[in-house]
Amino acid sequence: MLIEELGLYFERRHNLPPLAARIYAIMVLSSQEGFSFEELMEITQASKSSVSTNLNLLLQLKYLEYYTRPGKRKRYFRSSGSFLQNMLKERFETIISDLELTQKVNKFNQENNPENYRKKGYIGNIFHDFLEQEKLNIEQTLQRIRDFKEQN
Amino acid sequence: MLIEELGLYFERRHNLPPLAARIYAIMVLSSQEGFSFEELMEITQASKSSVSTNLNLLLQLKYLEYYTRPGKRKRYFRSSGSFLQNMLKERFETIISDLELTQKVNKFNQENNPENYRKKGYIGNIFHDFLEQEKLNIEQTLQRIRDFKEQN
DNA sequence: TAGTTAGTTCGGAACAAAACGAACTGTAAA
DNA sequence: TTTACAGTTCGTTTTGTTCCGAACTAACTA
């Protein structure tokens, strides 16, 4: 099932606990507008406490948001923003930290391995250019999404 | 220390066990050409069995390779290809699998959520373009590295 | 053939992460 | 003011990961 596959994907790539990943996958793949706490217990077959803990984690990480329906006390949960936007933002952050780390590794090699710095250093520059290009691509894509949302 | 930082980085991003991540970080940051089993035990202060298990994991995942020195029975380990090349290749693979997954999610939404497919589908296309652009960037960068190596 | 070198494999200990059940809190309706 | 609902918190249990030591193997060496 695609939900399981997507769940495993979130588990690995976003370092989410299994249940949180499954819940998020359910939200992303469903056409339903908002799930109640009970529904999620039912669907995942997990306990109240586990669902509570993992929903709160997802809320805290801003993967999900909730709303209430007039008159009712229940909360309904849905994925905040789009799956794709979140993916892009996450990727953006990893690229920024990769850039920083590569710069450190380059600097280290320059100072400590001067004998092969020329080689390693040059490749470091290529990689730096690569990351800058990535940053650009992500920024442009996020802009395209914003544009699309605006005229909708 | 940078080795520890890089170790944590590999642990998180590549889902490596702590010792494997540390060993790989050591290889990446050192100017030394090849480490023996014993040296790695000494440096990491880990047991024979742990070093064995984790070296074999890194070999299996192609992070490392080994060679022998004429006459000697010992194996010497080093990182295969460059750190940066490996990073790029890994990123390339994640992008390919992201592309496949997005296509599945798009297809799923098209079939199961026709009512909001227009919106989700459109963003899916933006994302698809994004991934194609990424693929291109990675391919070009790997080419630049190959070119550089060739004329060296 | 016995001993040394260079590792591998297996079972378990120590620890960490995830899920659970039961008791609890806060709010709202009866 | 009691009861029902919607969820939270906390201590325990279950499950999973990482590392280790001890016994083992395979290849060479004296």
Side-chain angles (χ1 to χ4, degrees):
Chain A
M1 234 296 214
L2 189 53
I3 286 187
E4 273 75 53
E5 187 180 350
L6 199 58
L8 288 175
Y9 174 88
F10 291 132
E11 218 177 307
R12 290 196 77 72
R13 282 277 229 304
H14 298 238
N15 281 294
L16 291 177
L19 184 55
R22 241 174 299 138
I23 290 174
Y24 187 50
I26 288 162
M27 305 278 179
V28 165
L29 286 183
S30 175
S31 61
Q32 194 174 325
E33 177 56 27
F35 288 81
S36 72
F37 195 103
E38 278 170 310
E39 282 170 328
L40 290 169
M41 280 180 67
E42 176 57 31
I43 295 167
T44 61
Q45 289 296 324
S47 72
K48 227 178 168 187
S49 56
S50 303
V51 171
S52 174
T53 308
N54 285 285
L55 275 178
N56 286 326
L57 176 65
L58 289 167
L59 287 170
Q60 206 200 312
L61 296 174
K62 304 262 169 63
Y63 284 87
L64 299 187
E65 60 189 15
Y66 69 87
Y67 61 95
T68 45
R69 290 179 187 167
K72 287 297 288 169
R73 237 187 318 157
K74 264 183 192 162
R75 292 190 290 170
Y76 293 86
F77 300 87
R78 65 182 165 208
S79 80
S80 67
S82 75
F83 158 52
L84 302 167
Q85 252 172 320
N86 290 342
M87 222 174 183
L88 287 173
K89 281 180 188 155
E90 171 118 356
R91 197 176 273 273
F92 186 76
E93 269 139 42
T94 71
I95 282 165
I96 298 305
S97 82
D98 281 8
L99 256 173
E100 281 165 12
L101 191 62
T102 337
Q103 259 149 10
K104 280 190 199 167
V105 171
N106 268 328
K107 193 156 163 265
F108 179 92
N109 282 329
Q110 192 169 15
E111 284 163 9
N112 297 277
N113 307 335
E115 71 279 20
N116 46 16
Y117 171 69
R118 208 183 77 74
K119 194 173 134 199
K120 289 192 178 177
Y122 186 74
I123 291 184
N125 288 339
I126 293 178
F127 192 60
H128 185 271
D129 292 352
F130 163 77
L131 290 174
E132 288 293 352
Q133 183 59 46
E134 293 258 294
K135 238 174 91 180
L136 205 67
N137 189 20
I138 290 173
E139 279 161 353
Q140 281 168 354
T141 306
L142 284 171
Q143 189 54 51
R144 277 184 73 193
I145 293 176
R146 278 194 295 273
D147 289 351
F148 171 72
K149 293 215 162 161
E150 207 167 291
Q151 55 151 155
N152 245 263
Chain B
M1 237 291 215
L2 187 52
I3 287 188
E4 272 76 55
E5 187 180 350
L6 198 57
L8 287 176
Y9 174 88
F10 291 133
E11 227 177 287
R12 290 198 74 72
R13 281 277 228 304
H14 298 240
N15 281 294
L16 292 177
L19 184 55
R22 242 174 299 138
I23 290 174
Y24 186 51
I26 288 162
M27 305 278 179
V28 164
L29 286 184
S30 175
S31 59
Q32 194 174 326
E33 177 56 26
F35 288 81
S36 72
F37 196 103
E38 278 169 310
E39 283 170 327
L40 290 169
M41 280 180 67
E42 175 57 29
I43 295 167
T44 61
Q45 290 296 323
S47 75
K48 228 180 168 188
S49 57
S50 302
V51 171
S52 174
T53 309
N54 285 284
L55 275 178
N56 286 327
L57 175 65
L58 289 167
L59 288 170
Q60 205 201 310
L61 296 174
K62 304 261 170 63
Y63 285 88
L64 300 186
E65 60 189 16
Y66 69 87
Y67 62 96
T68 45
R69 289 177 188 169
K72 287 297 288 168
R73 234 186 323 155
K74 264 184 191 161
R75 293 191 290 171
Y76 293 86
F77 301 87
R78 64 181 165 209
S79 81
S80 66
S82 74
F83 161 51
L84 301 168
Q85 254 173 320
N86 289 342
M87 223 173 183
L88 287 173
K89 281 181 187 154
E90 170 116 357
R91 199 174 272 276
F92 185 74
E93 269 140 41
T94 70
I95 282 164
I96 297 305
S97 82
D98 281 8
L99 256 173
E100 281 165 11
L101 191 62
T102 341
Q103 258 148 11
K104 280 189 200 168
V105 171
N106 268 328
K107 193 156 162 266
F108 180 91
N109 282 330
Q110 193 169 13
E111 284 163 11
N112 297 277
N113 308 336
E115 71 279 18
N116 47 14
Y117 170 69
R118 209 183 77 75
K119 192 173 136 198
K120 289 192 178 176
Y122 186 73
I123 291 184
N125 287 339
I126 293 178
F127 192 60
H128 185 270
D129 291 352
F130 163 77
L131 290 173
E132 287 293 352
Q133 183 59 46
E134 293 258 292
K135 234 175 95 181
L136 205 67
N137 189 20
I138 290 173
E139 279 162 353
Q140 281 169 352
T141 306
L142 284 170
Q143 190 53 51
R144 279 184 71 192
I145 293 175
R146 277 194 297 273
D147 289 352
F148 171 71
K149 293 213 161 162
E150 207 168 290
Q151 55 151 158
N152 245 263

